[in-house]
Amino acid sequence: MSLQQSLSQIYLDANATTPVLPQAADAALAAMKTSFGNPSSSHVTGLRAKQIMMQTRERAQRILGSGEGEVIFTSGATEGIQTGIISALTAARQSMESGKKYCLLYGATEHKAVPESLKHWNHILGIHADVVAIPVDNKGTLDKEFIAQHVGDALMICTMAVNNETGVYQDLSAIEQVIRANNPHVYWMVDCVQALGKTGLNLAQTTIDYAPFSGHKLYAPKGIGFVYIRKSAPFTPFIAGGGQEGGLRSGTENLPGMAALNEIFAIMLGESDFAFTPNEQLHKFRHQLRASLEKAFGNVVFNHDFDNSVPTTLNFAIEGFSSKEIMDLFDAAGIRVSSGSACSSKVTRSFVLDAMGLPVWQSEAAIRMSFGPAMTQSEVDEACQRIEQSAMALGHSCLMSQHHIDDKAPLSGLVQFKVGGSCTWLYVEPSDKSAIVIDPLSEVSSRINTLIECQQLNLVAVIDTHGHADHQSSRNDISDKYLASQTCDHLGWPSNTQSVSVGDSEFEYIEVSNKWLVRIVTPGHTNDSISMALCEPVTDHLDAQYLFCGDTILMGSLGRTNFECSNTADMYHSLRYIDALVSRDTLLCPSHDYNNEFTSSIDAEVARNQLLQQTLDGVINQQQFVNQKDVLDQHIVDESGSEIICGAFVGECQKQKMNEYDSESLARAMQSKHAIKLIDIREPHEYALEHDASFDENVPLTRFVQFINEHKHDKNAEIVLLCRSGSRSYVAAQALIRLGFENVGHLKGGYALY
Ligand code: PLP
């Protein structure tokens, strides 16, 4: 399918932001074109602008039930949060007793704007209170006993009405009772951003002091929000200046934003021709989406209960798939969702789901689907249809077992699975479907099992290159299932194999259809380390395509040799042994890929790893190697916090220059150079759902090493890579260039900007 006929988008990410409703956009445009005056001006144009502002405020007051409290317009909820916190802390500071320990309480699942602002102003105002998270239970409900215990010492307490990741709402009146029973005067802010238009509010009937809101979460544009301030609550302006908003918030008002909000408020109050979908119907929509997810992906798990969450949010995880994979899949199907997790440097986990005590995999794999009250039945139907198409596409790639699809894309050659910085390798000989698995990680074992069954592979062996210190091998899980009668050593190398002599050495090998997997004993990283060369049948030398070298040679590094079972001197000999046996352009398939480089070769490693180069070229002897390696291993830093890093990085990880195209420059290049190879490097299921007709070759990243091997004698070819957002294509292009490909480029911004 060409992108010109591409799928329209189904937008299911309303908790991040919403589109602007046409009537709100029209109102904003009219405010820019006609009623553009400054509400502070006393001429007619100014008065008309002021009228819009007053009407918007009046409607806001009715919606919030703000009574005698103030409603001040802001740029958004983050500003409203600052306003509440500064006001409360400035007042609280006056009454602090010296020597007494105070705290600032916030819900553990609060949007980051709240705890970060609390910490910031606590520091800036010199309050030095402890900033303490209130725990939640596994339903996301705040721990009231904890509040009762701690609120007596609190200067401020911040809770939220509805959570943005899960839609879980709090029982505000129960929280209020606990707070006021234990501290009648503590300042209380409730983040109401995700509650607007979804739950009723009657703020003046409560003792909530501050309540921030945001326009862009309910069909108004970005840049407009408002904050409620209880009548008796202290107030300090966050922005001083010309005295607008009665001196409470200076700066010329965002009239177009207010005009848009005014339309939204009119809809909420039933004063518009347009109506939002009633709540019961929204519940039905959510159930329909849920049923569709359950039908399409049997292994879906919901991360929150539906009985204490607003009907517009679903947060779920699909067992066996990362949130990134599902995001990529849904994006290809034209469904926009968000990963329910906040990205940290390496691991993506949701702190909200972590706080609820959900299993780690659910937190890592979380996907949030959210919609607003303008959702329609036809959009829900379309979303459900696309969810089912997405699951079919996974079945087509044999990544899901319950779909018995006839035209499965056959596997051929080498497949690389990555989990964090670790790799598992699967090799399939297409002629008779013989397969081997090297270094199986437990995270991918169910995927490998599904592939074996779906593709009807004949598993020959499952082998570890060494006893891994950093993770549990899942070798037994796989071999117990498919190789129950095979006897093998503790790494999975089969017993009674044949052997062949090369020079003075004897090597054991196993046959993988018409290829040989030859075992090379390479101790050093551990005393049981082996490497395996996948070769043509051996005559007098090893004609290897791939060398599975475990943690002996890593990309940009050498395996560490400071474990109890390591031997640095052995590593020296193993490196030289490998070099003598396989050619320097053989592709290395180590058990780690910390820097997204996919594969390497001895040539490429020697060019950036001086220790390896000096070792192989005989510039240093065994003792010098041991000395240098010991120093190097002392520099191993565990940056990820959870992973044992298996080698100190020694090589340069320089960013290579590449051709970066946009649509126009690519069109020009295609006109002038006919031989340009356009490759879509997304996974086959993404490609199957939608792709651009001119990118007629699909080389998924999991098969990229195979591609590199097939093209390693054609390094002049002009290649342009494309993916969803430009990040996978960038990384892949870097890898090709590092391996000596000379004319590699990618489409910057990927399909998203094409
Ligand atoms: N609070 C919650 C619960 C939110 O969901 C958001 C936005 O994601 C914010 C605060 C911040 O809102 P704004 O983007 O208007 O600053």
Side-chain angles (χ1 to χ4, degrees):
M1 181 192 301
S2 94
L3 274 194
Q4 282 71 31
Q5 310 153 344
S6 76
L7 300 168
S8 61
Q9 70 169 1
I10 298 288
Y11 186 80
L12 290 174
D13 199 15
N15 288 9
T17 195
T18 48
V20 178
L21 271 192
Q23 41 279 74
D26 288 348
L29 195 62
M32 287 190 272
K33 282 172 135 178
T34 323
S35 317
F36 57 84
N38 185 329
S40 303
S41 304
S42 51
H43 50 61
V44 167
T45 316
L47 292 173
R48 285 189 185 140
K50 191 171 176 186
Q51 169 58 20
I52 294 174
M53 187 171 84
M54 282 166 49
Q55 189 182 38
T56 313
R57 198 186 320 274
E58 185 273 325
R59 282 180 168 156
Q61 285 163 338
R62 275 196 281 148
I63 286 167
L64 305 187
S66 62
E68 292 180 60
E70 296 282 354
V71 175
I72 307 169
F73 291 107
T74 61
S75 60
T78 302
E79 185 190 324
I81 290 166
Q82 311 310 303
T83 308
I85 291 175
I86 290 178
S87 297
L89 296 193
T90 307
R93 199 164 54 153
Q94 317 289 325
S95 58
M96 285 171 72
E97 291 168 26
S98 76
K100 191 173 166 198
K101 202 80 195 114
Y102 292 98
C103 65
L104 304 173
L105 296 177
Y106 69 95
T109 58
E110 214 75 16
H111 187 280
K112 283 291 173 209
V114 171
E116 290 311 310
S117 307
L118 278 175
K119 287 177 206 160
H120 180 70
W121 294 112
N122 184 38
H123 171 71
I124 298 284
L125 297 173
I127 289 177
H128 309 302
D130 292 334
V131 182
V132 179
I134 308 161
V136 293
D137 65 13
N138 61 3
K139 294 184 106 200
T141 303
L142 285 170
D143 182 339
K144 291 181 203 62
E145 264 177 43
F146 187 95
I147 298 178
Q149 265 171 27
H150 292 84
V151 77
D153 298 328
L155 299 173
M156 180 174 200
I157 175 164
C158 302
T159 64
M160 73 198 307
V162 174
N163 184 268
N164 46 306
E165 285 191 25
T166 57
V168 165
Y169 53 74
Q170 302 293 331
D171 179 346
L172 291 178
S173 74
I175 292 174
E176 179 170 39
Q177 275 179 21
V178 183
I179 295 176
R180 295 306 169 208
N182 293 281
N183 190 340
H185 305 298
V186 67
Y187 302 121
W188 181 22
M189 180 169 80
V190 179
D191 176 342
C192 290
V193 170
Q194 299 288 348
L196 188 68
K198 297 165 199 165
T199 61
L201 295 161
N202 210 347
L203 294 175
Q205 300 300 310
T206 72
T207 59
I208 295 169
D209 294 292
Y210 309 97
F213 294 85
S214 182
H216 73 99
K217 309 284 181 178
L218 195 71
Y219 306 115
K222 287 144 197 77
I224 185 74
F226 48 105
V227 57
Y228 159 82
I229 304 186
R230 186 152 79 110
K231 183 168 187 292
S232 57
F235 185 82
T236 299
F238 176 52
I239 302 179
Q244 288 87 348
E245 294 287 280
L248 303 181
R249 197 273 190 189
S250 289
T252 302
E253 295 87 345
N254 173 0
L255 235 285
M258 290 179 193
L261 258 189
N262 193 23
E263 280 304 310
I264 303 298
F265 291 158
I267 298 169
M268 292 173 75
L269 291 164
E271 293 169 8
S272 161
D273 296 340
F274 180 81
F276 282 144
T277 305
N279 230 32
E280 317 83 77
Q281 188 61 36
L282 296 175
H283 277 285
K284 285 187 188 149
F285 288 168
R286 177 161 72 168
H287 276 106
Q288 192 180 337
L289 286 165
R290 176 191 192 140
S292 168
L293 285 164
E294 283 171 340
K295 181 173 163 218
F297 305 94
N299 44 356
V300 63
V301 175
F302 289 88
N303 293 330
H304 59 110
D305 284 352
F306 282 14
D307 57 11
N308 71 331
S309 56
V310 291
T312 44
T313 304
L314 300 93
N315 191 314
F316 58 89
I318 297 172
E319 210 176 338
F321 294 92
S322 68
S323 54
K324 164 91 173 59
E325 286 172 318
I326 298 298
M327 286 272 296
D328 288 341
L329 174 74
F330 281 169
D331 230 0
I335 307 173
R336 310 286 180 245
V337 294
S338 81
S339 72
S341 50
C343 290
S344 71
S345 59
K346 279 199 174 156
V347 209
T348 49
R349 287 260 287 270
S350 155
F351 73 88
V352 171
L353 302 182
D354 287 350
M356 288 164 66
L358 264 61
V360 169
W361 80 265
Q362 276 174 248
S363 172
E364 283 177 354
I367 292 287
R368 178 185 70 188
M369 267 185 180
S370 54
F371 51 91
M375 189 68 170
T376 63
Q377 182 65 58
S378 63
E379 281 175 291
V380 176
D381 293 343
E382 179 67 33
C384 292
Q385 204 184 334
R386 297 212 196 162
I387 287 168
E388 282 159 39
Q389 278 169 358
S390 307
M392 292 288 278
L394 283 182
H396 176 83
S397 310
C398 279
L399 292 182
M400 275 207 336
S401 53
Q402 66 267 53
H403 287 273
H404 301 291
I405 291 166
D406 299 334
D407 60 339
K408 292 164 200 160
L411 270 187
S412 164
L414 191 63
V415 187
Q416 181 182 29
F417 300 92
K418 286 205 266 181
V419 179
S422 300
C423 304
T424 293
W425 301 89
L426 165 70
Y427 180 80
V428 178
E429 253 308 304
S431 55
D432 64 355
K433 298 194 174 186
S434 297
I436 48 169
V437 178
I438 313 280
D439 286 328
L441 295 155
S442 56
E443 291 88 341
V444 298
S445 71
S446 77
R447 185 163 295 190
I448 287 177
N449 285 338
T450 309
L451 277 172
I452 291 173
E453 270 159 39
C454 174
Q455 298 263 342
Q456 294 171 318
L457 303 180
N458 304 316
L459 193 62
V460 176
V462 188
I463 308 165
D464 278 310
T465 51
H466 58 289
H468 298 280
D470 60 327
H471 66 262
Q472 197 76 31
S473 161
S474 64
R475 194 173 59 73
N476 288 335
D477 298 349
I478 303 174
S479 54
D480 286 355
K481 227 171 160 175
Y482 304 103
L483 300 168
S485 58
Q486 188 180 70
T487 54
C488 57
D489 69 10
H490 75 289
L491 295 176
W493 184 260
S495 316
N496 310 320
T497 50
Q498 310 175 67
S499 56
V500 64
S501 308
V502 178
D504 298 338
S505 309
E506 186 90 352
F507 295 95
E508 289 190 23
Y509 70 93
I510 51 177
E511 286 177 18
V512 185
S513 183
N514 54 356
K515 296 267 183 336
W516 286 13
L517 186 72
V518 177
R519 184 174 72 149
I520 307 169
V521 177
T522 50
H525 174 64
T526 60
N527 52 24
D528 63 357
S529 289
I530 59 167
S531 297
M532 285 164 279
L534 189 74
C535 314
E536 294 303 319
V538 174
T539 46
D540 56 348
H541 72 289
L542 301 189
D543 181 7
Q545 278 177 12
Y546 303 114
L547 182 76
F548 303 101
C549 55
D551 287 4
T552 300
I553 306 177
L554 295 174
M555 291 178 253
S557 163
L558 295 175
R560 69 197 284 175
T561 45
N562 58 357
F563 291 128
E564 235 168 62
C565 59
S566 302
N567 185 316
T568 316
D570 283 353
M571 163 85 71
Y572 175 80
H573 294 290
S574 293
L575 293 171
R576 292 173 59 84
Y577 192 39
I578 287 173
D579 192 37
L581 286 169
V582 300
S583 75
R584 285 197 170 188
D585 69 350
T586 300
L587 292 184
L588 303 176
C589 303
S591 50
H592 291 286
D593 179 8
Y594 292 118
N595 295 303
N596 265 322
E597 298 187 318
F598 305 96
T599 184
S600 195
S601 65
I602 297 177
D603 267 339
E605 289 309 306
V606 159
R608 63 175 174 174
N609 185 338
Q610 206 190 8
L611 181 59
L612 181 64
Q613 178 253 316
Q614 291 180 336
T615 303
L616 301 188
D617 294 351
V619 178
I620 54 172
N621 62 25
Q622 176 190 307
Q623 192 51 50
Q624 289 166 314
F625 176 82
V626 170
N627 294 346
Q628 288 193 37
K629 185 73 172 46
D630 285 351
V631 173
L632 201 64
D633 281 351
Q634 286 163 15
H635 294 132
I636 293 174
V637 242
D638 179 1
E639 284 168 355
S640 69
S642 61
E643 237 179 328
I644 295 178
I645 300 292
C646 289
F649 193 74
V650 291
E652 282 292 300
C653 192
Q654 270 174 358
K655 295 285 167 250
Q656 320 275 351
K657 271 214 158 115
M658 67 172 78
N659 303 323
E660 293 202 297
Y661 293 98
D662 59 18
S663 321
E664 279 145 38
S665 55
L666 182 62
R668 281 198 301 275
M670 281 163 67
Q671 269 173 1
S672 60
K673 304 175 203 168
H674 292 291
I676 206 158
K677 221 174 170 38
L678 302 176
I679 301 175
D680 186 325
I681 56 152
R682 296 172 306 152
E683 291 306 302
H685 42 269
E686 294 171 71
Y687 188 78
L689 283 163
E690 185 186 34
H691 65 265
D692 183 277
S694 47
F695 281 74
D696 56 0
E697 191 172 347
N698 178 216
V699 179
L701 281 191
T702 41
R703 326 270 165 88
F704 202 55
V705 180
Q706 168 83 16
F707 172 87
I708 293 171
N709 187 50
E710 283 166 7
H711 292 79
K712 70 181 184 187
H713 300 300
D714 184 20
K715 288 187 172 167
N716 292 324
E718 183 94 24
I719 297 174
V720 177
L721 306 176
L722 169 70
C723 68
R724 180 174 73 96
S725 69
S727 66
R728 282 179 279 180
S729 58
Y730 178 82
V731 166
Q734 287 284 328
L736 286 180
I737 296 169
R738 199 176 46 75
L739 290 169
F741 286 76
E742 287 167 5
N743 291 307
V744 182
H746 85 132
L747 209 85
K748 208 174 169 187
Y751 271 118
L753 303 187
Y754 189 33

